[in-house]
Amino acid sequence: MHVKTLASTEQTVQFAVTETDYTMHLKLERQTSDLLIQIIGGDVPHYGVITTVDKTGKALTTALPSRPGHVHQEKVLIDQVLKTVKPLITNNAVLVSGMHVNEITPAQMRAAMPMAHELGVALAKWLKAHPDQTQVVTYAK
Protein backbone atom coordinates (compact mmCIF):
# COMPACT_ATOMS: atom_id res chain seq x y z
CA MET A 1 0.00 0.00 0.00
CA HIS A 2 1.51 3.28 -1.09
CA VAL A 3 0.51 6.59 0.50
CA LYS A 4 1.11 9.63 -1.72
CA THR A 5 1.80 13.10 -0.37
CA LEU A 6 -0.32 15.47 -2.47
CA ALA A 7 0.66 18.77 -0.82
CA SER A 8 2.60 20.00 2.20
CA THR A 9 3.39 23.29 3.93
CA GLU A 10 4.52 23.96 7.49
CA GLN A 11 0.87 24.00 8.64
CA THR A 12 -0.91 21.64 6.24
CA VAL A 13 -0.47 18.32 4.54
CA GLN A 14 -2.58 16.13 2.27
CA PHE A 15 -2.13 12.41 1.70
CA ALA A 16 -3.98 9.89 -0.47
CA VAL A 17 -4.01 6.13 -0.76
CA THR A 18 -5.79 4.10 -3.44
CA GLU A 19 -6.77 0.45 -3.13
CA THR A 20 -9.49 -1.70 -4.69
CA ASP A 21 -10.59 1.06 -7.08
CA TYR A 22 -11.18 3.90 -4.63
CA THR A 23 -9.14 6.61 -2.94
CA MET A 24 -9.09 7.76 0.67
CA HIS A 25 -7.65 11.19 1.52
CA LEU A 26 -6.28 12.58 4.75
CA LYS A 27 -6.00 16.36 5.07
CA LEU A 28 -4.42 18.10 8.04
CA GLU A 29 -4.71 21.77 8.87
CA ARG A 30 -2.90 23.04 11.95
CA GLN A 31 -3.73 26.24 13.83
CA THR A 32 -0.81 26.79 16.23
CA SER A 33 -0.92 23.47 18.12
CA ASP A 34 -4.53 22.51 17.32
CA LEU A 35 -5.17 19.95 14.58
CA LEU A 36 -8.04 19.54 12.12
CA ILE A 37 -7.79 16.14 10.45
CA GLN A 38 -10.16 15.11 7.66
CA ILE A 39 -10.43 11.50 6.49
CA ILE A 40 -12.59 11.54 3.38
CA GLY A 41 -12.96 9.87 0.03
CA GLY A 42 -14.71 7.37 -2.13
CA ASP A 43 -17.39 8.35 -4.61
CA VAL A 44 -19.17 10.72 -2.22
CA PRO A 45 -16.85 12.45 0.27
CA HIS A 46 -18.76 14.04 3.12
CA TYR A 47 -18.65 14.70 6.87
CA GLY A 48 -20.40 12.02 8.90
CA VAL A 49 -18.46 11.46 12.12
CA ILE A 50 -16.64 13.98 14.30
CA THR A 51 -14.23 13.08 17.09
CA THR A 52 -12.64 15.66 19.35
CA VAL A 53 -9.54 14.90 21.39
CA ASP A 54 -8.25 17.21 24.08
CA LYS A 55 -4.65 17.52 25.27
CA THR A 56 -5.30 14.97 28.04
CA GLY A 57 -6.26 12.38 25.41
CA LYS A 58 -9.97 12.38 26.24
CA ALA A 59 -12.00 11.73 23.07
CA LEU A 60 -15.64 12.43 22.30
CA THR A 61 -17.34 11.18 19.12
CA THR A 62 -20.54 12.24 17.41
CA ALA A 63 -21.95 10.17 14.54
CA LEU A 64 -24.41 12.14 12.41
CA PRO A 65 -27.50 10.60 10.78
CA SER A 66 -26.81 9.05 7.38
CA ARG A 67 -30.29 7.88 6.34
CA PRO A 68 -33.48 7.14 8.28
CA GLY A 69 -32.64 4.91 11.22
CA HIS A 70 -28.86 4.90 10.63
CA VAL A 71 -25.81 6.93 11.62
CA HIS A 72 -22.49 7.22 9.83
CA GLN A 73 -19.94 4.52 10.65
CA GLU A 74 -16.65 6.27 9.82
CA LYS A 75 -15.52 6.21 13.48
CA VAL A 76 -13.66 3.02 12.56
CA LEU A 77 -11.53 5.08 10.15
CA ILE A 78 -10.91 7.80 12.74
CA ASP A 79 -9.87 5.16 15.27
CA GLN A 80 -7.26 3.79 12.86
CA VAL A 81 -5.71 7.24 12.42
CA LEU A 82 -5.87 7.99 16.14
CA LYS A 83 -3.89 4.83 16.95
CA THR A 84 -0.82 6.42 15.42
CA VAL A 85 -1.29 10.15 16.02
CA LYS A 86 -2.86 10.34 19.49
CA PRO A 87 0.53 10.40 21.27
CA LEU A 88 1.51 13.36 19.06
CA ILE A 89 -1.51 15.53 19.92
CA THR A 90 -0.14 18.35 22.06
CA ASN A 91 -3.30 20.43 22.45
CA ASN A 92 -6.70 19.84 20.81
CA ALA A 93 -7.60 17.84 17.72
CA VAL A 94 -10.76 17.55 15.67
CA LEU A 95 -11.05 14.56 13.37
CA VAL A 96 -13.82 14.53 10.78
CA SER A 97 -14.54 11.60 8.52
CA GLY A 98 -16.93 10.75 5.75
CA MET A 99 -16.52 8.31 2.94
CA HIS A 100 -19.02 6.59 0.72
CA VAL A 101 -18.20 4.13 -2.05
CA ASN A 102 -21.21 3.45 -4.28
CA GLU A 103 -22.09 -0.25 -4.39
CA ILE A 104 -19.14 -1.04 -2.10
CA THR A 105 -17.80 -4.58 -2.36
CA PRO A 106 -16.62 -6.77 0.52
CA ALA A 107 -13.01 -6.36 -0.71
CA GLN A 108 -13.37 -2.58 -0.68
CA MET A 109 -14.78 -2.71 2.87
CA ARG A 110 -11.83 -4.86 4.01
CA ALA A 111 -9.38 -2.39 2.46
CA ALA A 112 -10.76 0.66 4.32
CA MET A 113 -9.21 0.11 7.75
CA PRO A 114 -5.69 -0.68 6.48
CA MET A 115 -5.93 2.37 4.21
CA ALA A 116 -6.87 4.61 7.15
CA HIS A 117 -4.09 3.09 9.24
CA GLU A 118 -1.48 3.79 6.56
CA LEU A 119 -2.71 7.38 6.28
CA GLY A 120 -2.33 7.68 10.06
CA VAL A 121 1.23 6.35 9.89
CA ALA A 122 2.07 8.90 7.18
CA LEU A 123 0.55 11.69 9.27
CA ALA A 124 2.46 10.63 12.39
CA LYS A 125 5.74 10.78 10.44
CA TRP A 126 4.82 14.23 9.11
CA LEU A 127 3.90 15.54 12.57
CA LYS A 128 7.23 14.32 13.98
CA ALA A 129 9.09 16.05 11.14
CA HIS A 130 7.02 19.26 11.48
CA PRO A 131 6.52 19.95 15.20
CA ASP A 132 4.15 22.75 16.11
CA GLN A 133 5.55 26.11 17.09
CA THR A 134 4.54 26.63 20.69
CA GLN A 135 3.21 30.13 21.21
CA VAL A 136 2.81 32.00 24.48
CA VAL A 137 -0.83 32.50 25.36
CA THR A 138 -1.78 35.26 27.77
CA TYR A 139 -5.15 36.05 29.32
CA ALA A 140 -6.76 39.23 30.57
CA LYS A 141 -6.46 39.84 34.31
Side-chain angles (χ1 to χ4, degrees):
M1 192 170 300
H2 177 69
V3 174
K4 295 178 185 175
T5 302
L6 302 179
S8 180
T9 70
E10 285 300 312
Q11 299 300 315
T12 65
V13 67
Q14 294 182 37
F15 299 107
V17 63
T18 301
E19 289 290 321
T20 60
D21 297 323
Y22 74 100
T23 301
M24 186 181 299
H25 295 268
L26 185 146
K27 298 177 182 182
L28 166 81
E29 182 177 321
R30 180 168 47 204
Q31 299 296 334
T32 313
S33 58
D34 291 335
L35 307 177
L36 171 60
I37 302 167
Q38 299 178 57
I39 308 149
I40 55 175
D43 298 314
V44 186
H46 60 277
Y47 301 125
V49 176
I50 301 105
T51 297
T52 58
V53 182
D54 67 22
K55 61 184 168 188
T56 69
K58 181 180 174 189
L60 178 63
T61 298
T62 300
L64 300 169
S66 59
R67 57 186 174 181
H70 295 86
V71 295
H72 286 278
Q73 301 297 310
E74 289 90 352
K75 182 180 183 307
V76 296
L77 303 177
I78 289 173
D79 289 346
Q80 290 300 309
V81 172
L82 270 179
K83 282 181 185 179
T84 60
V85 301
K86 197 171 186 181
L88 302 170
I89 295 172
T90 60
N91 202 35
N92 298 311
V94 178
L95 294 90
V96 183
S97 185
M99 190 165 70
H100 178 86
V101 176
N102 290 329
E103 306 299 325
I104 194 166
T105 67
Q108 289 172 318
M109 280 193 220
R110 285 190 301 273
M113 292 197 13
M115 291 166 73
H117 175 77
E118 290 302 315
L119 289 168
V121 169
L123 179 57
K125 287 179 185 176
W126 188 90
L127 288 169
K128 288 176 186 174
H130 299 85
D132 63 48
Q133 304 299 315
T134 304
Q135 292 186 340
V136 176
V137 177
T138 60
Y139 299 95
K141 295 181 184 190

